[in-house]
Amino acid sequence: MKRLKIKEVLTGDQIGKEVLVKGWVRTKRGSKNVNFIALNDGSTINNLQVVVDVDKFGEELLKDINTSASLGITGDLVESQGSGQKVELNAKEIIIYGKADPDKYPIQPKRHTLEFLRENAHLRFRTATFSAVFRIRHAMAFAIHNYFNDKGFVYLHTPIITASDAEGAGQMFRVSTLDAKNPPLTEDGAIDFSQDFFGKPTNLTVSGQLEGELGATALGEIYTFGPTFRAENSNTTRHLAEFWMIEPEMAFYELVDNMDLAEEFLKYLIRYALDNCLDDLKFLSERLVNEEKDKPQDQRSMELIEKLNFVVSNDFVRCTYTEAVDILKNSKTCKAGKFQFPVEWGVDLQSEHERYLVEKHFKKPVILINYPKDIKAFYMKQNDDNKTVAAMDVLFPQIGEIIGGSQREEDLNKLETRMKEMHIPVEEMSWYLDTRRFGTVPHAGFGLGFERFILFVTGMGNIRDVIAFPRTPKNAEF
Ligand code: 4AD
Ligand code: MG
């Protein structure tokens, strides 16, 4: 018999028929005569209730059916007598694929902390929370490709190993096959990278943007979607050492076109989640309400689905960095000395400042533009005031910066001058500068941090809980 997924069985279309399902036991409860197994196969947050006649199958078999045991069950699908579910399966045949010893299996059917589940990340997919998170993550990845494909963007696979530091921030992981204990040295005692695998120092990429620009200035509009790596020692709930980034890059786009695209893109993805992941979102919404029930009213977050609808149906605020600094300096929070970090024109805004703007002041997502050139990367377009660049950061509630991007400097002279000022090796980047030498065009792009976005959509609080196997300082388990 052909196996059906539980998602399909739960629609009720098969009522009155015999079906075969396969999955893992979430819970088993019952009386002397009848047991109820909640079976889940990952296709949906909802479990299928299986009714088992104890006499028919015997205590011996039933004692091996514990949480996380894997089963194949054939039975008759009937309308459920109990409340809570539409259908249930009257078991006729049960195969146990694998037992799970309840004395040893770590994830019991009770409320575990997220910290505990992080330590057991290899098994946490078996919980309702994590299965919901990873189904949504999948749906969002799919929607991203859908969105760009519909708009005629080309998916460009940019390299993971690179010799250049796109962001110029020096936070790269070295890739080398040299003997770390005994590397070859040059005459003046430096490590001789000419003997390394690529004949020069190489690293894991922090961004696919520079190669993306090469693609965009011929294909028109491209996007990348891949892993990026940053060796920044930030042990926060919003930083990973390995994270995924989506980087569209568009020829003939100026800053305002870039902002329009970012806003439309984010709203498309959120709408897609609302339209396609509602069961999972409802579950995660309840989870959040539960988690925050002991917090005072004014510290609780907006209900998840309401929050997502709110973002989809409101325009993002667009505001310059200079205006934002004025707002922050004039805020009660600042005057009462309640920001941890100082605010002055010229400083990089901290997440407390970003969140103040979004959550307290504007109460909407914000696109901040025209940042001081000294806190931004070399490639950003220089504004006429000589002080700022055409940068844009999209700020979201609870997250802070979710997107960073800019219009790019397309003038070869200006770009070279800026690179020299910032000690970027112009010679080695000659390939990049060729885009400005031959048929240069105004162009722009941005990077969306995939995990930060998934945090927002799922309402989870820690970035380690929205990537399957998080890499953070001192942690590369599994
Ligand atoms: O602002 P960033 O550094 O921008 C770039 O890398 C540009 N090259 C993008 C572009 O214009 N094509 O990073 C982009 C986004 C951030 O807004 C943030 O959401 C995410 O990437 N991000 C991180 N996410 C998780 N962990 C980290 N350590 C992150 N660093 C950046
Ligand atoms: Mg940034």
Side-chain angles (χ1 to χ4, degrees):
M1 193 188 301
K2 188 169 163 277
R3 171 203 175 192
L4 292 183
K5 290 291 186 83
I6 288 176
K7 186 178 181 178
E8 195 184 335
V9 171
L10 290 177
T11 61
D13 293 351
Q14 315 283 329
I15 283 181
K17 294 193 186 136
E18 192 182 65
V19 300
L20 165 63
V21 292
K22 296 179 181 184
W24 294 265
V25 176
R26 279 283 163 78
T27 57
K28 186 187 70 177
R29 62 190 173 82
S31 62
K32 242 175 150 19
N33 303 322
V34 59
N35 274 197
F36 298 99
I37 297 170
L39 196 74
N40 191 285
D41 65 2
S43 61
T44 157
I45 188 87
N46 300 307
N47 302 324
L48 174 65
Q49 167 147 293
V50 182
V51 185
V52 185
D53 184 328
V54 177
D55 280 347
K56 177 171 170 176
F57 290 95
E59 300 276 355
E60 202 50 33
L61 179 107
L62 281 165
K63 88 174 185 343
D64 286 335
I65 299 182
N66 297 299
T67 295
S68 230
S70 46
L71 308 178
I73 305 177
T74 310
D76 294 324
L77 195 70
V78 298
E79 215 163 297
S80 177
Q81 304 185 355
S83 61
Q85 65 273 320
K86 197 150 85 180
V87 300
E88 59 192 22
L89 187 67
N90 287 330
K92 292 202 293 201
E93 201 186 314
I94 298 179
I95 300 169
I96 299 180
Y97 286 103
K99 304 175 198 172
D101 183 345
D103 295 329
K104 294 191 180 131
Y105 181 62
I107 318 257
Q108 288 305 314
K110 60 161 198 170
R111 185 165 281 278
H112 289 293
T113 65
L114 293 172
E115 289 79 10
F116 173 83
L117 293 172
R118 227 169 277 146
E119 282 162 24
N120 290 281
H122 57 305
L123 293 170
R124 66 182 176 169
F125 302 108
R126 303 218 183 161
T127 66
T129 298
F130 284 92
S131 71
V133 165
F134 287 99
R135 269 189 303 271
I136 292 174
R137 186 180 161 115
H138 158 76
M140 293 295 88
F142 180 78
I144 286 164
H145 288 300
N146 241 356
Y147 176 81
F148 286 122
N149 183 57
D150 284 351
K151 287 185 95 75
F153 282 53
V154 172
Y155 179 25
L156 189 70
H157 297 94
T158 50
I160 287 175
I161 299 174
T162 169
S164 57
D165 181 356
E167 293 302 297
Q171 298 168 321
M172 305 187 85
F173 289 100
R174 167 80 18 102
V175 173
S176 173
T177 53
L178 292 179
D179 181 356
K181 242 177 162 171
N182 197 11
L185 300 178
T186 59
E187 272 173 16
D188 44 15
I191 294 179
D192 184 5
F193 285 105
S194 71
Q195 294 188 47
D196 204 349
F197 190 91
F198 296 105
K200 57 173 151 183
T202 49
N203 301 290
L204 295 178
T205 189
V206 295
S207 156
Q209 180 195 321
L210 302 189
E211 293 89 351
E213 287 184 53
L214 304 180
T217 51
L219 296 163
E221 285 128 6
I222 65 94
Y223 70 105
T224 73
F225 186 176
T228 48
F229 307 86
R230 296 197 185 175
E232 51 189 332
N233 207 353
S234 309
N235 240 322
T236 78
T237 54
R238 291 167 302 101
H239 286 89
L240 291 163
E242 175 180 301
F243 63 100
W244 287 63
M245 204 178 353
I246 300 98
E247 295 186 274
E249 190 72 33
M250 298 75 62
F252 308 108
Y253 268 52
E254 298 187 5
L255 189 62
V256 60
D257 310 310
N258 207 23
M259 290 193 271
D260 290 346
L261 183 79
E263 182 167 346
E264 182 190 81
F265 175 50
L266 289 168
K267 286 178 172 172
Y268 172 92
L269 298 181
I270 295 170
R271 163 101 355 251
Y272 189 95
L274 286 165
D275 289 346
N276 295 279
C277 310
L278 204 55
D279 282 356
D280 287 324
L281 288 173
K282 280 186 186 151
F283 175 85
L284 290 171
S285 165
E286 277 166 38
R287 191 203 72 87
L288 195 61
V289 169
N290 237 315
E291 191 182 80
E292 295 190 338
K293 67 177 186 298
D294 297 330
K295 280 191 181 173
Q297 190 75 42
D298 64 328
Q299 284 174 32
R300 291 182 206 162
S301 21
M302 194 193 268
E303 190 278 323
L304 182 62
I305 293 168
E306 190 186 329
K307 179 186 85 174
L308 299 179
N309 274 310
F310 179 83
V311 171
V312 169
S313 48
N314 280 283
D315 288 341
F316 295 4
V317 174
R318 299 175 182 199
C319 165
T320 66
Y321 169 90
T322 304
E323 286 162 355
V325 168
D326 283 342
I327 291 167
L328 290 166
K329 280 171 80 171
N330 290 320
S331 67
K332 280 196 191 125
T333 314
C334 188
K335 287 183 173 154
K338 286 198 178 137
F339 282 134
Q340 196 189 339
F341 295 93
V343 196
E344 265 320 312
W345 197 95
V347 301
D348 208 357
L349 298 182
Q350 301 293 324
S351 110
E352 58 173 347
H353 306 133
E354 295 171 342
R355 292 186 58 177
Y356 177 88
L357 292 167
V358 174
E359 291 163 30
K360 300 257 159 47
H361 187 80
F362 290 116
K363 299 189 164 63
K364 277 184 193 174
V366 177
I367 310 183
L368 273 194
I369 59 167
N370 297 340
Y371 282 72
K373 65 176 184 192
D374 289 332
I375 56 170
K376 289 293 183 184
F378 70 92
Y379 51 70
M380 294 194 182
K381 185 173 176 62
Q382 297 158 37
N383 290 327
D384 292 337
D385 62 11
N386 257 325
K387 291 192 317 202
T388 60
V389 286
M392 68 167 211
D393 277 10
V394 181
L395 314 180
F396 259 32
Q398 278 132 35
I399 314 285
E401 179 192 338
I402 197 159
I403 278 182
S406 73
Q407 189 174 335
R408 320 304 188 191
E409 180 55 75
E410 82 264 26
D411 181 291
L412 178 64
N413 282 331
K414 284 189 187 167
L415 183 56
E416 268 187 350
T417 307
R418 187 69 187 137
M419 287 170 81
K420 283 177 192 149
E421 276 169 18
M422 295 177 79
H423 309 291
I424 314 260
V426 175
E427 298 298 302
E428 284 167 36
M429 302 280 281
S430 186
W431 54 270
Y432 176 69
L433 293 170
D434 271 358
T435 52
R436 276 63 166 178
R437 283 191 191 105
F438 309 114
T440 190
V441 287
H443 62 291
F446 61 81
L448 170 66
F450 191 45
E451 286 76 18
R452 288 198 188 170
F453 178 69
I454 302 299
L455 270 183
F456 181 75
V457 176
T458 58
M460 299 296 283
N462 192 318
I463 201 161
R464 294 166 179 79
D465 296 333
V466 296
I467 187 164
F469 304 104
R471 268 74 181 108
T472 51
K474 301 277 177 286
N475 174 36
E477 198 63 52
F478 314 114

